[in-house]
Amino acid sequence: MTPARQTTRPAPPPGLATALQYVKGVGPHRAKLLEKKGLVTVEDALFFLPIRHEDRTRLTPLRGIQVGQVVTCAGTIAGISPPPPGRARVPLVLLLRDASGYGTATLFGRGWLTRVLQRGQKLVLHGKGARFKDKVTLQVQDWELVESDDDEPIHAGALVPIYSTTEGLTQRPLRSLMWRLVEAFAGDVAETLPEPLRRRRQLAPLPEALRGAHFPPSERELAAAHRRLAFEDFVLLQLGLAILRARTTRARGIALNPAGALVGRLRRTLPWALTAAQERVWEEIRRDMAAPYPMHRLLQGDVGSGKTIVATLAVLTAIEAGYQAAVMAPTEILAEQHVMTLSRLLEPLGVPVTLLTSALKGRQRTARRAAVAAGEIGCVVGTHALVQEAVEFRKLGLVVVDEQHRFGVAQRARLKAKGEHPDVLVMTATPIPRTLALTLYGDLDVSVLDELPPGRQPVVTKARPESSRAQIYAFLREQVATGRQIYVVYPLIEESEAIDLKAATDMARRLQHEVFADRVVGLLHGRLPFEAKDEIMQRFKAGEIHVLVSTTVIEVGIDVPNASVMLIEHAERFGLSQLHQLRGRVGRGPWKSYCILLTSGRLGEEAERRVQAMVDTTDGFRIAEVDLQLRGPGEFFGTRQSGLPEFRVADLLHDAALLEEARRDALAIVAADGDLRAPEHRGLRAALLARWRGKLALASVG
Ligand code: ADP
Ligand code: MG
């Protein structure tokens, strides 16, 4: 490389876009480490917020240090005894003096400090009280030289930020770098929120909030900074959702408003009347479908609340209006179950139902697709295959999506694109607290089935160890003797599917020979062909099979009111919502029902809490709350698959009230300025586009 070339190297971009590598004291090596954390530019670093802060403001007198306590002290160096050369295991010991008297501080592996520290210097130190050579000493984790009174302490004697570190990049130099960046650049960050909004909600300007989020002078400033940044997270989410929603309501949809003959005929064949909640929800859906806008509605109802029948009425309405309906399920098994249920309800009315999954191969698949494309089939049930593959509908009028939380915004959008803005009904059994539903479903209207069909009794739930097995079997035999049926469920984990399947098979055989020799034990698992599964289910429904051993095939949707016991093997391996769904398979008839959670070995803390939550409550809302606490919002909502932008600081659990405020503001902003073209919305618009990364296609309108 010639010197001439070096001088022609392009100048680093100025300000926030500056690559960290060019920041003084960083250089290529450290820049690589920062890049591992996703930090390339100065701006990236400014938004790299601490994971927490440690309060190192309360000073403990040197004489008050106690073994085991984490404390911050301040003192003047009265003596330094360095470790002998070559003996790295021996600490550097400082003799310190403060108003209370003398104390010592020990620093391991930092012999080089002998060259930095001098007697008479004032230090703030943070660490843990420990015993060293029979004396109480402060084992130092972090320290800071206090040069003069107006020098800002950043490592000790303050609310000290703790960042997520990485191999080769330790807390202290990272914190120093962050301090310099915040000092130099936070002021350059452009405001995103409109001034009037900030004033009304009393939110700090963005640069101030950033400073406060990194190096807050007090808890109050830290809280204010958090509030401001969380609000921004929420407002950007809600703005995006509001824009998506405004677009659907403005779009021309199909008015599906038939006389209702098919719905009437189905309702007359039902052995029971709809509950008041089902009537109300059905009316909301019917009105949406009749309107000339695309319906975009979420139907939320706990397990067993009767969502299927409501969805079926919607399907019939679309078909009577001359359109096709698509029902999407997250798994093949669920799709198969929906086909069974829907065929039973619809085929007597002369409405053909078909299944389209990726398991379907060859000629059969081609033929079914052709029938769908020709419009010969009114109701198509399927998995993601419906979305991902080139399935053509002749006239798609309604899309029903079951178990929404496993489906993303993007997938929903793709399916909608297959029709001319068909109506969309999304169903979920996860009862999400309302405020939280607004985050994931902010672009949907919500209907809630908040009533179970009459005569349901809460399922008695017990946790039992392996040693109770004999007793449990005796109880199962009693139940079968009184005419009831039983589910025994085995966990099936994909990684060990073969082993698990063998365990379930062995269990079925043992139950048949050793426990229920005079009864019929059936085995159901996902590897069976559709026809075989269907046959076993039909026989169980008909009461010909008394005990059904199953892998989680039956998790959702199965409905056999005569079954009164759900025995769950290895209950500790199931997720909480899964357990709740499984329990929902019993307690559907007039008989007292039981859910027995068999666990083996010592349970981990989380498994213990899941099992306990099941024993404590049958309330789906409570269960969902605990589930949310245990798994955290990201996992719970499956935000990774949802296509929603990530939050920088907002916490769905703790900032829920703020979310409501942000939602109201976002709706008002979109109502007034749908494409955010007004000059005062310039900051918001830029931030929105960056967060949603093209998913909003805002650029196309402005
Ligand atoms: P989920 O909401 O979990 O999908 P289902 O639709 O499977 O619930 O309904 C649960 C059970 O309740 C089914 O057996 C269904 O036939 C029955 N059911 C639905 N609505 C009513 C009602 N209004 N009265 C009595 N039973 C009902
Ligand atoms: Mg269901």
Side-chain angles (χ1 to χ4, degrees):
M1 204 191 290
T2 66
R5 266 217 170 141
Q6 264 176 354
T7 56
T8 58
R9 198 172 64 174
L16 297 175
T18 307
L20 286 166
Q21 161 174 13
Y22 303 117
V23 171
K24 204 166 142 255
V26 178
H29 175 68
R30 202 169 265 176
K32 274 239 165 55
L33 296 174
L34 290 165
E35 200 177 330
K36 272 202 215 156
K37 292 258 140 207
L39 310 180
V40 178
T41 65
V42 166
E43 183 168 16
D44 295 339
L46 289 178
F47 285 96
F48 180 67
L49 299 175
I51 22 182
R52 64 189 169 88
H53 286 82
E54 224 166 69
D55 188 348
R56 301 182 185 172
T57 53
R58 256 156 297 197
L59 296 182
T60 302
L62 289 167
R63 299 285 295 271
I65 298 172
Q66 284 176 20
V67 174
Q69 263 178 6
V70 175
V71 292
T72 304
C73 301
T76 307
I77 301 177
I80 303 176
S81 74
R87 302 210 26 211
R89 297 275 183 83
V90 180
L92 168 80
V93 181
L94 298 177
L95 181 64
L96 298 165
R97 176 170 43 79
D98 71 359
S100 72
Y102 286 91
T104 63
T106 44
L107 294 103
F108 281 89
R110 279 176 278 187
W112 54 274
L113 281 176
T114 326
R115 296 192 297 273
V116 178
L117 300 176
Q118 287 166 18
R119 286 226 308 243
Q121 278 176 332
K122 207 174 164 222
L123 283 180
V124 177
L125 311 106
H126 180 79
K128 196 173 187 174
R131 198 168 288 282
F132 181 70
K133 289 189 176 160
D134 270 347
K135 288 220 182 71
V136 177
T137 180
L138 180 69
Q139 211 164 57
V140 178
Q141 286 156 10
D142 238 328
W143 58 274
E144 174 102 46
L145 264 179
V146 186
E147 302 290 351
S148 64
D149 282 347
D150 60 2
D151 203 38
E152 304 251 10
I154 68 169
H155 301 294
L159 277 175
V160 174
I162 309 291
Y163 295 95
S164 151
T165 53
T166 181
E167 178 84 27
L169 185 64
T170 51
Q171 198 61 244
R172 196 183 165 87
L174 180 57
R175 190 184 297 135
S176 301
L177 172 65
M178 291 307 301
W179 168 260
R180 280 186 288 125
L181 291 174
V182 170
E183 281 287 282
F185 295 103
D188 297 347
V189 175
E191 182 55 66
T192 46
L193 301 178
E195 171 77 26
L197 169 66
R198 266 203 309 105
R199 243 180 298 121
R200 189 157 33 85
R201 295 283 183 208
Q202 302 191 335
L203 298 164
L206 187 49
E208 194 180 302
L210 278 175
R211 279 186 212 109
H214 286 281
F215 298 96
S218 72
E219 290 282 355
R220 232 191 73 223
E221 262 110 336
L222 178 60
H226 176 87
R227 183 167 168 271
R228 147 76 212 218
L229 295 172
F231 188 90
E232 180 162 332
D233 276 343
F234 285 149
V235 114
L236 292 176
L237 173 74
Q238 293 295 336
L239 271 177
L241 290 170
I243 286 167
L244 286 176
R245 182 191 172 107
R247 237 174 253 165
T248 27
T249 35
R250 272 188 312 218
R252 283 267 302 279
I254 318 155
L256 299 169
N257 195 16
L262 282 176
V263 163
R265 278 173 62 199
L266 179 66
R267 291 187 60 157
R268 278 193 293 282
T269 66
L270 293 176
W272 27 255
L274 295 188
T275 64
Q278 283 169 318
E279 290 287 6
R280 187 191 66 233
V281 164
W282 166 235
E283 180 55 25
E284 288 166 358
I285 293 168
R286 201 195 54 72
R287 233 185 296 134
D288 276 3
M289 290 181 76
Y293 314 106
M295 169 167 78
H296 218 169
R297 186 169 283 278
L298 174 72
L299 171 54
Q300 191 183 302
D302 204 352
V303 213
S305 59
K307 293 183 292 294
T308 315
I309 193 68
V310 175
T312 310
L313 299 180
V315 166
L316 282 176
T317 301
I319 289 167
E320 189 179 330
Y323 284 82
Q324 288 168 294
V327 178
M328 291 208 296
T331 64
E332 304 251 327
I333 292 149
L334 245 175
E336 288 169 3
Q337 280 168 28
H338 278 311
V339 159
M340 291 182 211
T341 315
L342 285 164
S343 312
R344 219 177 49 243
L345 293 167
L346 300 189
E347 290 189 337
L349 305 173
V351 175
V353 178
T354 201
L355 179 68
L356 274 185
T357 68
S358 40
L360 209 59
K361 296 278 181 282
R363 217 184 293 155
Q364 210 183 11
R365 169 163 156 160
T366 320
R368 280 197 206 174
R369 285 178 168 210
V372 173
E376 289 157 24
I377 310 238
C379 179
V380 182
V381 182
T383 55
H384 300 163
L386 267 186
V387 187
Q388 271 138 13
E389 299 170 25
V391 178
E392 302 263 350
F393 291 85
R394 206 173 87 80
K395 275 178 95 179
L396 183 60
L398 172 71
V399 177
V400 178
V401 183
D402 197 8
E403 294 304 308
Q404 154 68 14
H405 63 291
R406 300 193 213 176
F407 252 99
V409 170
Q411 283 168 313
R412 252 192 277 148
R414 235 181 301 167
L415 192 80
K416 278 190 291 180
K418 288 191 184 292
E420 316 150 37
H421 295 289
D423 286 335
V424 177
L425 178 65
V426 173
M427 302 198 289
T428 178
T430 311
I432 300 160
R434 192 181 148 68
T435 47
L436 299 189
L438 295 179
T439 56
L440 197 56
Y441 311 127
D443 59 332
L444 304 179
D445 295 303
V446 181
S447 290
V448 183
L449 277 179
D450 48 7
E451 178 188 1
L452 293 178
R456 296 280 171 82
Q457 298 179 34
V459 178
V460 178
T461 306
K462 303 277 183 205
R464 290 284 178 264
E466 188 57 40
S467 55
S468 310
R469 192 174 282 279
Q471 249 175 301
I472 293 169
Y473 285 163
F475 175 71
L476 298 188
R477 274 200 306 273
E478 258 171 52
Q479 285 286 306
V480 174
T482 64
R484 301 288 76 73
Q485 287 164 283
I486 286 159
Y487 292 106
V488 179
V489 173
Y490 252 84
L492 193 106
I493 297 165
E494 235 164 286
E495 299 89 72
S496 57
E497 195 180 320
I499 301 164
D500 289 342
L501 195 56
K502 184 170 179 304
T505 312
D506 290 348
M507 174 59 65
R509 202 174 299 132
R510 270 190 42 212
L511 279 174
Q512 178 71 82
H513 293 306
E514 294 167 23
V515 188
F516 293 102
D518 50 344
R519 307 283 180 180
V520 183
V521 177
L523 174 64
L524 188 67
H525 60 80
R527 291 260 185 101
L528 293 173
F530 175 66
E531 289 74 20
K533 273 186 260 186
D534 193 24
E535 192 206 317
I536 290 170
M537 276 317 301
Q538 299 305 344
R539 286 179 60 208
F540 188 61
K541 262 194 135 111
E544 294 164 23
I545 290 174
H546 304 102
V547 178
L548 183 63
V549 177
S550 165
T551 57
T552 39
V553 174
I554 60 159
E555 179 185 339
V556 194
I558 283 193
D559 184 39
V560 179
N562 189 50
S564 66
V565 183
M566 168 63 65
L567 171 61
I568 304 179
E569 299 269 355
H570 292 289
E572 74 278 359
R573 290 207 219 154
F574 289 89
L576 191 48
S577 68
Q578 238 182 335
L579 290 173
H580 183 62
Q581 288 284 337
L582 285 171
R583 176 167 59 186
R585 298 306 115 210
V586 294
R588 295 177 163 239
W591 301 282
K592 189 156 188 178
S593 299
Y594 305 86
C595 176
I596 304 169
L597 305 169
L598 248 181
T599 59
S600 49
R602 264 184 65 90
L603 300 194
E605 191 189 333
E606 263 206 53
E608 182 85 49
R609 283 187 62 189
R610 288 196 296 264
V611 168
Q612 196 55 44
M614 286 291 291
V615 172
D616 288 347
T617 182
T618 54
D619 177 354
F621 265 93
R622 259 314 286 152
I623 298 272
E625 261 169 35
V626 177
D627 200 22
L628 182 59
Q629 276 167 16
L630 286 178
R631 288 197 292 158
E635 270 283 304
F636 181 86
F637 290 113
T639 27
R640 225 172 306 123
Q641 322 150 30
S642 75
L644 296 176
E646 301 269 333
F647 293 145
R648 275 175 177 150
V649 308
D651 177 336
L652 283 172
L653 279 181
H654 298 109
D655 302 324
L658 206 56
L659 174 62
E660 284 276 18
E661 292 178 6
R663 176 174 162 81
R664 257 176 274 140
D665 290 342
L667 289 174
I669 289 169
V670 171
D673 180 19
D675 297 325
L676 304 183
R677 281 189 224 242
E680 69 268 27
H681 293 151
R682 193 178 300 139
L684 266 181
R685 189 174 206 278
L688 194 65
L689 287 171
R691 281 291 176 97
W692 283 74
R693 281 201 215 100
K695 281 176 221 126
L696 283 179
L698 247 196
S700 66
V701 285

